Amino acid sequence: MFNRGYDYLFFAQPSTSLSLPDQFIALIESLPADQRPKTAAYPTQDDPNTDVAIEAFRTALTKLGVRSVYHEKYAPETVNFDPLADAVARAEPDLIVHGAVSADGVGFVKALQKQRFSPEMLFQINSPSVVQTFGKGVGEKNTEGVFTITAWSPKATYPGNERFVKDYTAKFGTAPTEDAANAYTAGQVLEAAVRAVGSLDQDKLRDWLRSHTVQTIVGPLKWDDRGVPDGDMLLAQWQGGNLEFILPESQRTVDGVVNPKPGWS
């Protein structure tokens, strides 16, 4: 998308799929050598978002000496994850990085439970961040230690976030989702540019965004000339039945990291 010459396209999230691994890789690098995974499996749904991210994870982890023992895609319509879980379990990886989009994340975990295979570390791209359904799907105790990455957290201390959560909840009777927060962030970016420029002139708005940082509920955002953002995603981990945040340090909500992940309950 960002290599096609668009002049007025700006991504209003902290990073693109290519940068999703950054915080998790930083965590792995910070671990003592005897606590780092030696092998990894990379099952992923055949989807443009997960394909790019999984390849970025595999490249970065390989550079750290983590050997790939499984790397396969499955169709988006897959509902039976037993064969996939069987293949992954037979590879016996220390770490599983799963390109999960939604319900497939839950389905794969349940299939791993049938295999009685629990990796020392489990990272899923999207599914664990859907707090309303993930715990119910895999079992509350089985969430413990599962990693994911998010663009936004209701717990984040970035300016305006607490007010956003409060106002959204009051208006709709439910807490905001990450999608709602991302949409709000896009509005914040556009508002900041229009207020600064004082018009809707597209060239002026583009030039202003290319040279300024905008404070948003997902943190400070700035962009290069292509519209690619330079921000920090949030590395999250389920601990004690809650989705807590590990990195960046400024948004950390717990003191430690669960490693290795407990076995399935």
Short mmCIF file of all heavy atoms in Angstrom, two decimals, residues 62-132:
data_model
loop_
_atom_site.label_atom_id
_atom_site.label_comp_id
_atom_site.label_asym_id
_atom_site.label_seq_id
_atom_site.Cartn_x
_atom_site.Cartn_y
_atom_site.Cartn_z
N THR A 62 14.70 -15.65 13.53
CA THR A 62 15.78 -16.43 12.95
C THR A 62 17.13 -15.74 13.16
O THR A 62 18.14 -16.39 13.45
CB THR A 62 15.54 -16.66 11.45
OG1 THR A 62 14.32 -17.40 11.28
CG2 THR A 62 16.69 -17.43 10.81
N LYS A 63 17.11 -14.40 13.05
CA LYS A 63 18.34 -13.65 13.30
C LYS A 63 18.82 -13.79 14.75
O LYS A 63 20.01 -13.65 15.03
CB LYS A 63 18.12 -12.17 12.96
CG LYS A 63 18.00 -11.90 11.47
CD LYS A 63 17.79 -10.41 11.20
CE LYS A 63 17.68 -10.15 9.71
NZ LYS A 63 17.44 -8.71 9.42
N LEU A 64 17.89 -14.08 15.64
CA LEU A 64 18.25 -14.28 17.05
C LEU A 64 18.64 -15.73 17.34
O LEU A 64 18.90 -16.08 18.48
CB LEU A 64 17.08 -13.87 17.95
CG LEU A 64 16.73 -12.39 18.01
CD1 LEU A 64 15.56 -12.15 18.96
CD2 LEU A 64 17.93 -11.55 18.43
N GLY A 65 18.64 -16.55 16.30
CA GLY A 65 19.05 -17.94 16.47
C GLY A 65 17.92 -18.89 16.78
O GLY A 65 18.17 -20.05 17.13
N VAL A 66 16.66 -18.43 16.64
CA VAL A 66 15.51 -19.30 16.88
C VAL A 66 15.22 -20.08 15.60
O VAL A 66 14.89 -19.50 14.57
CB VAL A 66 14.27 -18.49 17.32
CG1 VAL A 66 13.09 -19.42 17.58
CG2 VAL A 66 14.59 -17.65 18.55
N ARG A 67 15.33 -21.38 15.67
CA ARG A 67 15.20 -22.23 14.48
C ARG A 67 13.73 -22.51 14.16
O ARG A 67 12.95 -22.88 15.04
CB ARG A 67 15.96 -23.54 14.70
CG ARG A 67 15.93 -24.51 13.53
CD ARG A 67 16.93 -25.63 13.73
NE ARG A 67 16.68 -26.37 14.96
CZ ARG A 67 15.86 -27.41 15.05
NH1 ARG A 67 15.23 -27.86 13.97
NH2 ARG A 67 15.69 -28.02 16.21
N SER A 68 13.36 -22.33 12.91
CA SER A 68 11.99 -22.59 12.47
C SER A 68 11.79 -24.09 12.25
O SER A 68 12.55 -24.72 11.52
CB SER A 68 11.69 -21.83 11.17
OG SER A 68 10.41 -22.16 10.68
N VAL A 69 10.77 -24.66 12.91
CA VAL A 69 10.49 -26.09 12.76
C VAL A 69 9.15 -26.34 12.09
O VAL A 69 8.80 -27.49 11.78
CB VAL A 69 10.53 -26.81 14.12
CG1 VAL A 69 11.93 -26.78 14.70
CG2 VAL A 69 9.52 -26.20 15.10
N TYR A 70 8.37 -25.28 11.84
CA TYR A 70 7.08 -25.43 11.17
C TYR A 70 6.65 -24.07 10.66
O TYR A 70 6.72 -23.08 11.38
CB TYR A 70 6.03 -25.98 12.14
CG TYR A 70 4.68 -26.23 11.49
CD1 TYR A 70 4.37 -27.46 10.92
CD2 TYR A 70 3.71 -25.22 11.44
CE1 TYR A 70 3.14 -27.68 10.31
CE2 TYR A 70 2.49 -25.44 10.84
CZ TYR A 70 2.20 -26.67 10.28
OH TYR A 70 0.99 -26.88 9.67
N HIS A 71 6.19 -24.04 9.39
CA HIS A 71 5.73 -22.78 8.80
C HIS A 71 4.74 -23.11 7.69
O HIS A 71 5.13 -23.46 6.58
CB HIS A 71 6.91 -21.99 8.24
CG HIS A 71 6.52 -20.67 7.65
ND1 HIS A 71 7.17 -20.10 6.58
CD2 HIS A 71 5.52 -19.81 7.97
CE1 HIS A 71 6.61 -18.94 6.28
NE2 HIS A 71 5.59 -18.75 7.11
N GLU A 72 3.43 -23.03 8.00
CA GLU A 72 2.41 -23.38 7.03
C GLU A 72 1.22 -22.43 7.15
O GLU A 72 0.93 -21.89 8.23
CB GLU A 72 1.91 -24.82 7.25
CG GLU A 72 2.97 -25.89 7.00
CD GLU A 72 3.35 -26.03 5.54
OE1 GLU A 72 2.56 -25.57 4.68
OE2 GLU A 72 4.43 -26.59 5.26
N LYS A 73 0.51 -22.26 6.02
CA LYS A 73 -0.71 -21.46 6.00
C LYS A 73 -1.93 -22.38 5.96
O LYS A 73 -1.86 -23.52 5.49
CB LYS A 73 -0.74 -20.56 4.76
CG LYS A 73 0.37 -19.53 4.71
CD LYS A 73 0.26 -18.70 3.42
CE LYS A 73 1.41 -17.70 3.33
NZ LYS A 73 1.32 -16.90 2.08
N TYR A 74 -3.06 -21.86 6.46
CA TYR A 74 -4.32 -22.58 6.35
C TYR A 74 -5.37 -21.63 5.79
O TYR A 74 -5.25 -20.41 5.89
CB TYR A 74 -4.77 -23.16 7.70
CG TYR A 74 -4.89 -22.15 8.81
CD1 TYR A 74 -6.07 -21.43 9.02
CD2 TYR A 74 -3.82 -21.91 9.68
CE1 TYR A 74 -6.18 -20.50 10.05
CE2 TYR A 74 -3.92 -20.99 10.70
CZ TYR A 74 -5.10 -20.29 10.89
OH TYR A 74 -5.20 -19.38 11.91
N ALA A 75 -6.41 -22.18 5.18
CA ALA A 75 -7.43 -21.38 4.51
C ALA A 75 -8.25 -20.60 5.53
O ALA A 75 -8.50 -21.06 6.64
CB ALA A 75 -8.34 -22.29 3.70
N PRO A 76 -8.71 -19.39 5.15
CA PRO A 76 -9.52 -18.57 6.06
C PRO A 76 -10.79 -19.27 6.54
O PRO A 76 -11.28 -18.97 7.64
CB PRO A 76 -9.86 -17.34 5.22
CG PRO A 76 -8.76 -17.26 4.22
CD PRO A 76 -8.41 -18.68 3.90
N GLU A 77 -11.33 -20.17 5.73
CA GLU A 77 -12.58 -20.84 6.11
C GLU A 77 -12.36 -22.06 7.01
O GLU A 77 -13.31 -22.77 7.37
CB GLU A 77 -13.36 -21.27 4.86
CG GLU A 77 -12.65 -22.28 3.98
CD GLU A 77 -11.78 -21.65 2.90
OE1 GLU A 77 -11.43 -20.45 3.05
OE2 GLU A 77 -11.45 -22.35 1.92
N THR A 78 -11.13 -22.33 7.40
CA THR A 78 -10.83 -23.48 8.25
C THR A 78 -11.57 -23.40 9.58
O THR A 78 -11.56 -22.38 10.25
CB THR A 78 -9.31 -23.57 8.53
OG1 THR A 78 -8.62 -23.72 7.29
CG2 THR A 78 -8.99 -24.74 9.44
N VAL A 79 -12.22 -24.50 9.96
CA VAL A 79 -12.89 -24.58 11.26
C VAL A 79 -12.37 -25.76 12.08
O VAL A 79 -12.52 -25.78 13.30
CB VAL A 79 -14.42 -24.67 11.11
CG1 VAL A 79 -14.98 -23.38 10.54
CG2 VAL A 79 -14.82 -25.86 10.23
N ASN A 80 -11.79 -26.75 11.41
CA ASN A 80 -11.22 -27.90 12.10
C ASN A 80 -9.71 -27.72 12.20
O ASN A 80 -8.99 -27.85 11.21
CB ASN A 80 -11.55 -29.19 11.36
CG ASN A 80 -10.95 -30.42 12.03
OD1 ASN A 80 -10.45 -30.35 13.16
ND2 ASN A 80 -10.98 -31.55 11.34
N PHE A 81 -9.23 -27.41 13.40
CA PHE A 81 -7.80 -27.14 13.59
C PHE A 81 -7.04 -28.34 14.15
O PHE A 81 -5.86 -28.21 14.49
CB PHE A 81 -7.62 -25.92 14.51
CG PHE A 81 -8.06 -24.64 13.86
CD1 PHE A 81 -9.35 -24.17 14.04
CD2 PHE A 81 -7.20 -23.92 13.06
CE1 PHE A 81 -9.78 -23.01 13.44
CE2 PHE A 81 -7.61 -22.76 12.44
CZ PHE A 81 -8.91 -22.29 12.63
N ASP A 82 -7.70 -29.48 14.24
CA ASP A 82 -7.03 -30.66 14.79
C ASP A 82 -5.83 -31.10 13.96
O ASP A 82 -4.75 -31.36 14.53
CB ASP A 82 -8.03 -31.82 14.91
CG ASP A 82 -9.07 -31.56 15.99
OD1 ASP A 82 -8.86 -30.65 16.81
OD2 ASP A 82 -10.09 -32.28 16.00
N PRO A 83 -5.92 -31.17 12.62
CA PRO A 83 -4.73 -31.56 11.84
C PRO A 83 -3.58 -30.56 11.99
O PRO A 83 -2.41 -30.96 12.07
CB PRO A 83 -5.25 -31.59 10.40
CG PRO A 83 -6.72 -31.80 10.53
CD PRO A 83 -7.12 -31.05 11.76
N LEU A 84 -3.91 -29.27 12.05
CA LEU A 84 -2.88 -28.25 12.21
C LEU A 84 -2.20 -28.40 13.57
O LEU A 84 -0.97 -28.37 13.68
CB LEU A 84 -3.50 -26.85 12.09
CG LEU A 84 -2.57 -25.66 12.32
CD1 LEU A 84 -1.50 -25.59 11.23
CD2 LEU A 84 -3.38 -24.36 12.35
N ALA A 85 -3.00 -28.56 14.61
CA ALA A 85 -2.44 -28.71 15.96
C ALA A 85 -1.59 -29.97 16.06
O ALA A 85 -0.54 -29.98 16.74
CB ALA A 85 -3.56 -28.73 16.99
N ASP A 86 -2.02 -31.04 15.39
CA ASP A 86 -1.26 -32.29 15.40
C ASP A 86 0.11 -32.08 14.76
O ASP A 86 1.14 -32.52 15.29
CB ASP A 86 -2.04 -33.37 14.65
CG ASP A 86 -1.25 -34.65 14.53
OD1 ASP A 86 -0.99 -35.29 15.56
OD2 ASP A 86 -0.87 -35.01 13.39
N ALA A 87 0.14 -31.39 13.62
CA ALA A 87 1.41 -31.16 12.93
C ALA A 87 2.35 -30.28 13.76
O ALA A 87 3.56 -30.54 13.85
CB ALA A 87 1.16 -30.50 11.57
N VAL A 88 1.78 -29.25 14.38
CA VAL A 88 2.60 -28.36 15.21
C VAL A 88 3.12 -29.11 16.43
O VAL A 88 4.29 -28.99 16.81
CB VAL A 88 1.79 -27.12 15.63
CG1 VAL A 88 2.57 -26.31 16.67
CG2 VAL A 88 1.46 -26.25 14.42
N ALA A 89 2.25 -29.89 17.06
CA ALA A 89 2.66 -30.63 18.26
C ALA A 89 3.79 -31.61 17.95
O ALA A 89 4.73 -31.77 18.75
CB ALA A 89 1.47 -31.38 18.85
N ARG A 90 3.73 -32.25 16.79
CA ARG A 90 4.79 -33.20 16.41
C ARG A 90 6.13 -32.49 16.17
O ARG A 90 7.19 -33.08 16.33
CB ARG A 90 4.37 -33.99 15.18
CG ARG A 90 3.35 -35.08 15.49
CD ARG A 90 3.07 -36.01 14.32
NE ARG A 90 2.14 -35.42 13.37
CZ ARG A 90 2.47 -34.98 12.17
NH1 ARG A 90 3.74 -35.06 11.76
NH2 ARG A 90 1.57 -34.47 11.35
N ALA A 91 6.08 -31.20 15.81
CA ALA A 91 7.31 -30.42 15.63
C ALA A 91 7.92 -30.00 16.96
O ALA A 91 9.09 -29.61 17.01
CB ALA A 91 7.03 -29.19 14.77
N GLU A 92 7.12 -30.01 18.03
CA GLU A 92 7.57 -29.71 19.40
C GLU A 92 8.32 -28.37 19.52
O GLU A 92 9.43 -28.31 20.05
CB GLU A 92 8.45 -30.84 19.94
CG GLU A 92 7.72 -32.17 20.04
CD GLU A 92 8.59 -33.24 20.67
OE1 GLU A 92 9.84 -33.13 20.59
OE2 GLU A 92 8.03 -34.18 21.26
N PRO A 93 7.74 -27.28 19.04
CA PRO A 93 8.43 -25.99 19.15
C PRO A 93 8.39 -25.44 20.58
O PRO A 93 7.44 -25.69 21.33
CB PRO A 93 7.61 -25.09 18.22
CG PRO A 93 6.22 -25.67 18.30
CD PRO A 93 6.42 -27.15 18.39
N ASP A 94 9.42 -24.71 20.95
CA ASP A 94 9.40 -23.99 22.23
C ASP A 94 8.41 -22.82 22.17
O ASP A 94 7.76 -22.49 23.16
CB ASP A 94 10.78 -23.42 22.56
CG ASP A 94 11.83 -24.49 22.68
OD1 ASP A 94 11.49 -25.62 23.11
OD2 ASP A 94 13.00 -24.21 22.34
N LEU A 95 8.33 -22.20 21.00
CA LEU A 95 7.50 -21.01 20.79
C LEU A 95 6.59 -21.23 19.60
O LEU A 95 7.02 -21.75 18.57
CB LEU A 95 8.41 -19.79 20.52
CG LEU A 95 7.78 -18.54 19.88
CD1 LEU A 95 6.79 -17.88 20.84
CD2 LEU A 95 8.87 -17.55 19.47
N ILE A 96 5.32 -20.83 19.75
CA ILE A 96 4.40 -20.78 18.62
C ILE A 96 4.03 -19.32 18.38
O ILE A 96 3.58 -18.63 19.30
CB ILE A 96 3.12 -21.59 18.86
CG1 ILE A 96 3.44 -23.07 19.04
CG2 ILE A 96 2.15 -21.40 17.69
CD1 ILE A 96 2.22 -23.92 19.38
N VAL A 97 4.26 -18.84 17.16
CA VAL A 97 3.79 -17.53 16.74
C VAL A 97 2.67 -17.78 15.74
O VAL A 97 2.92 -18.22 14.63
CB VAL A 97 4.92 -16.68 16.11
CG1 VAL A 97 4.37 -15.32 15.70
CG2 VAL A 97 6.08 -16.52 17.09
N HIS A 98 1.45 -17.50 16.15
CA HIS A 98 0.28 -17.87 15.36
C HIS A 98 -0.33 -16.65 14.69
O HIS A 98 -0.70 -15.68 15.35
CB HIS A 98 -0.76 -18.53 16.28
CG HIS A 98 -2.00 -18.97 15.58
ND1 HIS A 98 -3.19 -19.17 16.24
CD2 HIS A 98 -2.25 -19.25 14.26
CE1 HIS A 98 -4.12 -19.55 15.37
NE2 HIS A 98 -3.57 -19.60 14.17
N GLY A 99 -0.45 -16.70 13.37
CA GLY A 99 -1.09 -15.62 12.63
C GLY A 99 -2.60 -15.75 12.68
O GLY A 99 -3.25 -16.09 11.70
N ALA A 100 -3.15 -15.49 13.85
CA ALA A 100 -4.60 -15.63 14.08
C ALA A 100 -5.30 -14.33 13.77
O ALA A 100 -4.83 -13.25 14.13
CB ALA A 100 -4.86 -16.03 15.52
N VAL A 101 -6.44 -14.43 13.11
CA VAL A 101 -7.22 -13.24 12.77
C VAL A 101 -8.33 -13.00 13.77
O VAL A 101 -8.51 -11.89 14.27
CB VAL A 101 -7.81 -13.36 11.35
CG1 VAL A 101 -8.73 -12.19 11.04
CG2 VAL A 101 -6.69 -13.43 10.32
N SER A 102 -9.08 -14.05 14.13
CA SER A 102 -10.20 -13.88 15.06
C SER A 102 -10.50 -15.20 15.75
O SER A 102 -9.74 -15.64 16.61
CB SER A 102 -11.43 -13.36 14.31
OG SER A 102 -12.49 -13.10 15.21
N ALA A 103 -11.61 -15.84 15.36
CA ALA A 103 -12.02 -17.08 16.01
C ALA A 103 -11.03 -18.21 15.79
O ALA A 103 -11.01 -19.17 16.56
CB ALA A 103 -13.40 -17.50 15.50
N ASP A 104 -10.19 -18.11 14.75
CA ASP A 104 -9.21 -19.17 14.51
C ASP A 104 -8.20 -19.27 15.64
O ASP A 104 -7.65 -20.34 15.90
CB ASP A 104 -8.51 -18.98 13.17
CG ASP A 104 -7.87 -17.61 13.02
OD1 ASP A 104 -8.40 -16.64 13.59
OD2 ASP A 104 -6.85 -17.51 12.32
N GLY A 105 -7.96 -18.16 16.33
CA GLY A 105 -7.06 -18.20 17.48
C GLY A 105 -7.59 -19.09 18.58
O GLY A 105 -6.85 -19.90 19.18
N VAL A 106 -8.87 -18.97 18.86
CA VAL A 106 -9.51 -19.81 19.88
C VAL A 106 -9.54 -21.26 19.41
O VAL A 106 -9.22 -22.18 20.17
CB VAL A 106 -10.94 -19.31 20.17
CG1 VAL A 106 -11.69 -20.30 21.06
CG2 VAL A 106 -10.89 -17.94 20.83
N GLY A 107 -9.93 -21.47 18.14
CA GLY A 107 -10.02 -22.83 17.62
C GLY A 107 -8.69 -23.57 17.67
O GLY A 107 -8.64 -24.77 18.01
N PHE A 108 -7.60 -22.87 17.38
CA PHE A 108 -6.28 -23.50 17.39
C PHE A 108 -5.85 -23.86 18.81
O PHE A 108 -5.31 -24.93 19.06
CB PHE A 108 -5.26 -22.57 16.74
CG PHE A 108 -3.86 -23.11 16.72
CD1 PHE A 108 -3.57 -24.28 16.04
CD2 PHE A 108 -2.84 -22.45 17.36
CE1 PHE A 108 -2.27 -24.79 16.01
CE2 PHE A 108 -1.54 -22.94 17.34
CZ PHE A 108 -1.26 -24.11 16.67
N VAL A 109 -6.11 -22.96 19.76
CA VAL A 109 -5.76 -23.25 21.16
C VAL A 109 -6.52 -24.47 21.67
O VAL A 109 -5.95 -25.34 22.34
CB VAL A 109 -6.02 -22.03 22.06
CG1 VAL A 109 -5.92 -22.41 23.54
CG2 VAL A 109 -5.03 -20.92 21.75
N LYS A 110 -7.81 -24.55 21.35
CA LYS A 110 -8.61 -25.70 21.79
C LYS A 110 -8.09 -26.99 21.15
O LYS A 110 -8.09 -28.05 21.79
CB LYS A 110 -10.08 -25.46 21.44
CG LYS A 110 -10.69 -24.33 22.25
CD LYS A 110 -12.07 -23.96 21.78
CE LYS A 110 -13.09 -24.99 22.18
NZ LYS A 110 -14.47 -24.55 21.87
N ALA A 111 -7.62 -26.90 19.90
CA ALA A 111 -7.06 -28.08 19.24
C ALA A 111 -5.73 -28.48 19.89
O ALA A 111 -5.44 -29.68 20.03
CB ALA A 111 -6.87 -27.80 17.75
N LEU A 112 -4.92 -27.51 20.29
CA LEU A 112 -3.68 -27.82 21.01
C LEU A 112 -3.98 -28.50 22.34
O LEU A 112 -3.24 -29.40 22.78
CB LEU A 112 -2.87 -26.54 21.26
CG LEU A 112 -2.16 -25.91 20.08
CD1 LEU A 112 -1.50 -24.60 20.51
CD2 LEU A 112 -1.11 -26.85 19.48
N GLN A 113 -5.05 -28.09 22.98
CA GLN A 113 -5.44 -28.72 24.24
C GLN A 113 -5.78 -30.19 24.03
O GLN A 113 -5.43 -31.05 24.85
CB GLN A 113 -6.63 -27.97 24.85
CG GLN A 113 -6.29 -26.57 25.33
CD GLN A 113 -7.52 -25.77 25.70
OE1 GLN A 113 -8.62 -26.29 25.80
NE2 GLN A 113 -7.34 -24.48 25.92
N LYS A 114 -6.46 -30.49 22.91
CA LYS A 114 -6.77 -31.89 22.60
C LYS A 114 -5.49 -32.70 22.42
O LYS A 114 -5.42 -33.87 22.78
CB LYS A 114 -7.60 -31.97 21.32
CG LYS A 114 -9.02 -31.45 21.44
CD LYS A 114 -9.73 -31.62 20.10
CE LYS A 114 -11.11 -31.01 20.10
NZ LYS A 114 -11.77 -31.15 18.77
N GLN A 115 -4.47 -32.07 21.82
CA GLN A 115 -3.19 -32.74 21.61
C GLN A 115 -2.36 -32.83 22.89
O GLN A 115 -1.33 -33.51 22.91
CB GLN A 115 -2.38 -31.98 20.54
CG GLN A 115 -2.97 -32.02 19.15
CD GLN A 115 -2.93 -33.40 18.54
OE1 GLN A 115 -2.02 -34.19 18.82
NE2 GLN A 115 -3.92 -33.70 17.72
N ARG A 116 -2.82 -32.11 23.91
CA ARG A 116 -2.07 -32.03 25.17
C ARG A 116 -0.65 -31.51 24.94
O ARG A 116 0.31 -31.94 25.57
CB ARG A 116 -2.05 -33.38 25.88
CG ARG A 116 -3.44 -33.87 26.25
CD ARG A 116 -3.41 -35.13 27.09
NE ARG A 116 -4.76 -35.55 27.43
CZ ARG A 116 -5.05 -36.61 28.18
NH1 ARG A 116 -4.06 -37.37 28.65
NH2 ARG A 116 -6.30 -36.92 28.44
N PHE A 117 -0.58 -30.57 23.99
CA PHE A 117 0.70 -29.92 23.73
C PHE A 117 0.60 -28.44 24.09
O PHE A 117 -0.23 -27.72 23.56
CB PHE A 117 1.12 -30.04 22.27
CG PHE A 117 2.42 -29.33 21.97
CD1 PHE A 117 3.62 -29.87 22.39
CD2 PHE A 117 2.43 -28.09 21.33
CE1 PHE A 117 4.82 -29.20 22.16
CE2 PHE A 117 3.62 -27.43 21.09
CZ PHE A 117 4.82 -27.99 21.51
N SER A 118 1.44 -28.03 25.01
CA SER A 118 1.46 -26.64 25.46
C SER A 118 2.88 -26.09 25.29
O SER A 118 3.80 -26.53 25.99
CB SER A 118 1.04 -26.54 26.93
OG SER A 118 1.06 -25.19 27.37
N PRO A 119 3.08 -25.16 24.37
CA PRO A 119 4.44 -24.61 24.17
C PRO A 119 4.86 -23.76 25.37
O PRO A 119 4.02 -23.29 26.14
CB PRO A 119 4.27 -23.75 22.92
CG PRO A 119 2.85 -23.30 22.99
CD PRO A 119 2.08 -24.46 23.54
N GLU A 120 6.15 -23.56 25.49
CA GLU A 120 6.64 -22.71 26.58
C GLU A 120 6.22 -21.25 26.37
O GLU A 120 6.02 -20.52 27.34
CB GLU A 120 8.15 -22.82 26.68
CG GLU A 120 8.63 -24.19 27.14
CD GLU A 120 10.12 -24.23 27.36
OE1 GLU A 120 10.78 -23.18 27.19
OE2 GLU A 120 10.64 -25.31 27.71
N MET A 121 6.09 -20.84 25.10
CA MET A 121 5.64 -19.49 24.79
C MET A 121 4.64 -19.56 23.64
O MET A 121 4.83 -20.32 22.70
CB MET A 121 6.81 -18.58 24.39
CG MET A 121 7.88 -18.41 25.45
SD MET A 121 9.20 -17.25 24.95
CE MET A 121 8.38 -15.68 25.28
N LEU A 122 3.56 -18.75 23.74
CA LEU A 122 2.56 -18.69 22.69
C LEU A 122 2.22 -17.23 22.42
O LEU A 122 1.82 -16.49 23.32
CB LEU A 122 1.30 -19.44 23.10
CG LEU A 122 0.08 -19.31 22.16
CD1 LEU A 122 0.40 -19.83 20.77
CD2 LEU A 122 -1.12 -20.04 22.75
N PHE A 123 2.40 -16.84 21.16
CA PHE A 123 2.05 -15.49 20.71
C PHE A 123 1.04 -15.62 19.59
O PHE A 123 1.28 -16.34 18.62
CB PHE A 123 3.29 -14.75 20.20
CG PHE A 123 3.02 -13.33 19.76
CD1 PHE A 123 3.40 -12.26 20.56
CD2 PHE A 123 2.37 -13.05 18.57
CE1 PHE A 123 3.14 -10.95 20.16
CE2 PHE A 123 2.10 -11.76 18.16
CZ PHE A 123 2.49 -10.70 18.97
N GLN A 124 -0.10 -14.93 19.73
CA GLN A 124 -1.10 -14.89 18.66
C GLN A 124 -1.33 -13.44 18.27
O GLN A 124 -1.45 -12.56 19.13
CB GLN A 124 -2.42 -15.53 19.11
CG GLN A 124 -2.31 -17.03 19.30
CD GLN A 124 -3.64 -17.65 19.66
OE1 GLN A 124 -4.29 -17.26 20.61
NE2 GLN A 124 -4.05 -18.66 18.89
N ILE A 125 -1.41 -13.18 16.99
CA ILE A 125 -1.41 -11.80 16.49
C ILE A 125 -2.62 -11.01 16.92
O ILE A 125 -2.50 -9.87 17.37
CB ILE A 125 -1.26 -11.79 14.96
CG1 ILE A 125 0.19 -12.13 14.60
CG2 ILE A 125 -1.64 -10.44 14.37
CD1 ILE A 125 0.49 -12.14 13.12
N ASN A 126 -3.81 -11.56 16.84
CA ASN A 126 -4.99 -10.73 17.07
C ASN A 126 -5.95 -11.30 18.11
O ASN A 126 -6.45 -10.57 18.97
CB ASN A 126 -5.75 -10.53 15.75
CG ASN A 126 -6.91 -9.58 15.90
OD1 ASN A 126 -6.75 -8.43 16.25
ND2 ASN A 126 -8.11 -10.08 15.68
N SER A 127 -6.24 -12.57 18.03
CA SER A 127 -7.32 -13.18 18.79
C SER A 127 -7.30 -12.87 20.30
O SER A 127 -8.33 -12.55 20.88
CB SER A 127 -7.33 -14.69 18.56
OG SER A 127 -8.47 -15.28 19.13
N PRO A 128 -6.14 -12.96 20.97
CA PRO A 128 -6.15 -12.72 22.43
C PRO A 128 -6.51 -11.29 22.83
O PRO A 128 -6.85 -11.05 23.99
CB PRO A 128 -4.71 -13.04 22.84
CG PRO A 128 -4.20 -13.94 21.77
CD PRO A 128 -4.83 -13.43 20.51
N SER A 129 -6.44 -10.35 21.90
CA SER A 129 -6.77 -8.97 22.24
C SER A 129 -8.27 -8.73 22.30
O SER A 129 -8.71 -7.70 22.80
CB SER A 129 -6.14 -8.00 21.22
OG SER A 129 -6.74 -8.16 19.94
N VAL A 130 -9.05 -9.69 21.80
CA VAL A 130 -10.52 -9.58 21.88
C VAL A 130 -10.94 -10.14 23.23
O VAL A 130 -11.36 -11.30 23.35
CB VAL A 130 -11.20 -10.32 20.71
CG1 VAL A 130 -12.71 -10.03 20.72
CG2 VAL A 130 -10.59 -9.93 19.38
N VAL A 131 -10.83 -9.30 24.25
CA VAL A 131 -10.99 -9.77 25.63
C VAL A 131 -12.41 -10.28 25.90
O VAL A 131 -12.62 -11.08 26.82
CB VAL A 131 -10.62 -8.67 26.63
CG1 VAL A 131 -9.15 -8.32 26.52
CG2 VAL A 131 -11.48 -7.42 26.42
N GLN A 132 -13.38 -9.80 25.14
CA GLN A 132 -14.76 -10.19 25.37
C GLN A 132 -15.01 -11.65 25.04
O GLN A 132 -15.96 -12.26 25.55
CB GLN A 132 -15.71 -9.31 24.55
CG GLN A 132 -15.68 -7.83 24.89
CD GLN A 132 -14.64 -7.06 24.10
OE1 GLN A 132 -13.73 -7.65 23.51
NE2 GLN A 132 -14.75 -5.75 24.10
#
